[in-house]
Amino acid sequence: MTEPNVNLMYSGTTDHSLEPRDWEEFRRLGHQIIDDLVDDWRTIRERPVWQRVPDEVKTRLREPLPLEGQGAKAAYADFLRDVSPYPRGNCHPRFWGWVSGSGLPIGVLADLLASGMNSSVGAFESTVAMVEEQVLDWLKLALGLPNESSAVLTSGCSMSNLIGLAVARHAKMWIDVKNEGMFGPHSRPTLYISCEGHSSVQKAVELLGFGNVSLRRVPVDDQFRIDPVSLLQMIRADSEAGHTPVCVIGNVGTVGTGSVDPLDTLADICASEGLWLHVDGAFGALGWLDEKTRPLLSGMQRADSLAFDLHKWMYLPFDIGCVIIRDRLTHKAALATTGPYWTHVPGSGSYPVDLPNLGIELTRRFRALKIWLAIKAHGLNGFSRGISMNVDQAFRMRKYFSEMPDFETMPGSINVVCFRFCPPDTAEINQLNQELLRQLQTGGKSFVSHTWLNGRFMIRLAITNHRTTQDDIDAFCEEVVALAQALPRRSLKRAAHGDQ
Ligand SMILES: *Cc1c(COP(=O)(O)O)cnc(C)c1O
């Protein structure tokens, strides 16, 4: 296999300044923050419930993007000066506006601990899922709902309403809207994504009533990038069949291999066919900050909408993501709703930038603070260096396994590496690598996951970690080779039972 990103030469970047350099100093800052919070709560009655933001603070909150960091302590001093004195007011004992919670102190500590654990509550064994299940059982009991009922925590009731109505629609509609969409088989709006696209796009398509079958899966080339010729043929064929093509979804960093679709070509196709270009750049969009990767992402800035995460390659604790829409008026028109309790009263405190009307959730956690503090403390360049370092690490690992006898790499891009052990004398390569994965995951020395590419079970990893060092990469490579060579090949069939 050819190495796809020959331009991504290993440059030896090793900058770990995103981790505290002096843990004792960091501890003192942490203690100070807790002390300040407690003082704040204890004296809250002495302050106004709400007050206008002074002009000089407004000006400072428009400061240019900090490229170099000023350190955590100085960033925190800015927070104390410019942010914390002018809250929305709902922690105050005399705040009764709209419907807001008051911020239970123990919950604040819990949020700190949860951010510290920074575990994504997914389908993998860890106590965080067990805690959520237990809490859900308690809530059902507390509210007198049957224990057999199904439940999930969300980012707020807007998400909960969306989910509830999606289930209602699925249960009660006379057509299978999730799959078929609202439009019936003969004339439907159609969307296009490569067959390497992410499941969250399918979920969005289903929830919006387009229907899963309206999402056309376009074939990919040998590097798992969308094939623009097939794309154009599919768009034209749908139009001729009476459907209405509306949107192309480009991938910047597919979840399987980190592949980047040819975005300039997609943008050209969308312009000539009159389609919306949405880019799913969950982690890959941040590759823009690495100079070696940026040329690969050319065309990203032509997207009508760009979705990306900050809890992946900006290293921030869950959960925080972002969407950027080129046209502000269209964005708001698509999502805005209003109510008599929301109308703007000139001269009151209402703020013209209406963030809930640009998204789905109404009550929204102050997610922005973690990125604000992080960028001020480390500067954008701190993140560029971390991202660049991860790209180099992935390059080095890919090179290692592509040169190692009895190993095979698949095209992987940016920060994703896919490899497998494939000794020539073994037939059951997939089972062999599943056993290798089990040993790696349960061995406790490193953790990677897997994917299937062209029917092949691949060990897969995405390096979005500001703490990884070159030594970590080297130790992992050695561990893999040692484990692979010791794999008990005769007991393979039993070990892999039930897995495929
Ligand atoms: C993670 C991911 C998503 C979904 O983002 P979440 O933050 O998990 O909701 C979408 N697309 C890709 C390619 C992803 O990697």
Side-chain angles (χ1 to χ4, degrees):
M1 278 296 169
T2 48
E3 189 65 38
N5 300 325
V6 277
N7 57 329
L8 301 185
M9 292 308 292
Y10 173 63
S11 69
T13 320
T14 50
D15 185 292
H16 293 91
S17 62
L18 293 177
E19 197 73 342
R21 289 205 183 135
D22 179 345
W23 280 107
E24 286 313 312
E25 192 186 309
F26 191 78
R27 185 203 301 280
R28 280 194 294 278
L29 179 63
H31 288 169
Q32 186 63 50
I33 286 175
I34 299 284
D35 284 347
D36 292 346
L37 266 175
V38 170
D39 288 344
D40 230 55
W41 287 324
R42 286 172 66 171
T43 58
I44 195 162
R45 291 182 168 278
E46 296 160 21
R47 289 188 303 281
V49 184
W50 176 82
Q51 57 185 322
R52 283 202 177 278
V53 182
D55 285 342
E56 75 265 19
V57 173
K58 284 183 183 157
T59 308
R60 282 199 296 268
L61 291 179
R62 309 285 325 156
E63 77 175 321
L65 172 63
L67 292 180
E68 289 304 332
Q70 54 182 332
K73 229 173 128 179
Y76 178 58
D78 287 359
F79 166 80
L80 287 180
R81 185 192 56 197
D82 291 337
V83 182
S84 63
Y86 311 101
R88 185 164 169 270
N90 46 291
C91 286
H92 199 282
R94 290 186 305 278
F95 181 96
W96 304 294
W98 305 286
V99 186
S100 296
S102 43
L104 192 68
I106 189 67
V108 175
L109 295 187
D111 222 6
L112 178 64
L113 294 172
S115 285
M117 284 182 79
N118 194 32
S119 287
S120 170
V121 190
F124 204 83
E125 181 173 317
S126 74
T127 50
V128 294
M130 296 166 198
V131 170
E132 178 161 340
E133 282 184 309
Q134 183 170 38
V135 164
L136 291 168
D137 281 347
W138 291 345
L139 292 174
K140 288 182 244 172
L141 185 67
L143 298 179
L145 292 161
N147 187 257
E148 320 76 79
S149 44
S150 173
V152 66
L153 296 179
T154 66
S155 55
C157 202
S158 300
M159 272 301 165
S160 302
N161 286 331
L162 183 64
I163 293 167
L165 295 185
V167 179
R169 190 192 61 183
H170 191 74
K172 295 295 180 191
M173 286 284 285
W174 50 97
I175 45 172
D176 177 4
V177 176
K178 183 174 184 227
N179 204 43
E180 294 288 340
M182 293 280 197
F183 306 92
H186 302 303
S187 176
R188 58 170 74 249
T190 49
L191 303 91
Y192 305 82
I193 191 169
S194 89
C195 50
E196 291 294 309
H198 193 262
S199 59
S200 60
V201 174
Q202 177 182 331
K203 193 174 279 198
V205 163
E206 290 174 356
L207 283 171
L208 290 170
F210 287 116
N212 181 27
V213 297
S214 303
L215 184 61
R216 313 297 203 198
R217 272 70 169 187
V218 184
V220 290
D221 64 14
D222 63 354
Q223 293 181 14
F224 302 96
R225 299 172 302 201
I226 196 167
D227 171 22
V229 176
S230 304
L231 169 66
L232 200 53
Q233 280 167 358
M234 290 166 81
I235 292 171
R236 297 263 159 87
D238 276 331
S239 295
E240 277 160 31
H243 300 305
T244 310
V246 291
C247 178
V248 172
I249 296 112
N251 296 303
V252 172
T254 59
V255 66
T257 58
S259 298
V260 180
D261 289 339
L263 297 174
D264 269 316
T265 311
L266 296 190
D268 290 343
I269 290 175
C270 285
S272 75
E273 304 294 310
L275 306 191
W276 185 272
L277 177 60
H278 174 82
V279 169
D280 177 359
F283 62 91
L286 274 304
W288 191 265
L289 298 187
D290 170 42
E291 271 171 25
K292 303 182 284 341
T293 307
R294 190 174 299 173
L296 209 63
L297 274 49
S298 162
M300 188 168 83
Q301 67 287 357
R302 293 173 65 191
D304 293 298
S305 51
L306 168 67
F308 60 101
D309 267 322
L310 299 158
H311 58 210
K312 287 179 177 168
W313 220 359
M314 282 285 278
Y315 315 114
L316 293 174
F318 304 125
D319 46 8
I320 181 166
C322 181
V323 61
I324 297 175
I325 314 270
R326 174 182 297 278
D327 186 286
R328 192 175 272 264
L329 289 178
T330 308
H331 183 182
K332 185 152 183 182
L335 289 158
T337 53
T338 188
Y341 39 86
W342 273 131
T343 47
H344 183 72
V345 178
S348 76
S350 49
Y351 189 61
V353 179
D354 185 1
L355 291 163
N357 265 335
L358 301 177
I360 291 172
E361 296 135 310
L362 176 60
T363 299
R364 301 167 71 252
R365 166 182 161 74
F366 185 20
R367 292 188 173 97
L369 181 60
K370 50 192 166 194
I371 182 158
W372 189 87
L373 275 174
I375 288 195
K376 283 173 70 73
H378 294 295
L380 188 66
N381 292 342
F383 290 93
S384 299
R385 286 189 289 267
I387 288 164
S388 185
M389 175 185 83
N390 289 158
V391 170
D392 293 340
Q393 289 164 340
F395 180 85
R396 185 179 168 105
M397 191 186 294
R398 229 177 277 128
K399 189 161 181 294
Y400 179 91
F401 286 112
S402 65
E403 288 169 358
M404 179 61 59
D406 295 346
F407 279 85
E408 176 180 80
T409 53
M410 290 290 256
S413 190
I414 325 184
N415 59 338
V416 177
V417 184
C418 293
F419 67 86
R420 63 176 195 159
F421 181 47
C422 49
D425 54 337
T426 317
E428 298 181 321
I429 303 277
N430 285 344
Q431 285 90 331
L432 195 63
N433 281 280
Q434 286 173 25
E435 179 56 22
L436 179 56
L437 181 80
R438 272 189 286 271
Q439 291 195 11
L440 282 166
Q441 289 187 346
T442 56
K445 283 195 199 139
S446 48
F447 194 99
V448 293
S449 62
H450 69 274
T451 193
W452 291 87
L453 293 173
N454 301 336
R456 295 174 192 177
F457 183 88
M458 306 295 295
I459 309 269
R460 172 206 164 278
L461 54 146
I463 309 178
T464 49
N465 188 331
H466 76 277
R467 298 191 174 101
T468 304
T469 65
Q470 210 54 73
D471 287 347
D472 296 322
I473 300 291
D474 295 345
F476 170 76
C477 292
E478 282 162 28
E479 183 194 1
V480 168
V481 173
L483 285 177
Q485 279 161 358
L487 280 178
R489 297 196 205 170
R490 260 179 307 158
S491 61
L492 275 178
K493 275 203 173 114
R494 235 182 316 129
H497 179 73
D499 240 45
Q500 245 181 308

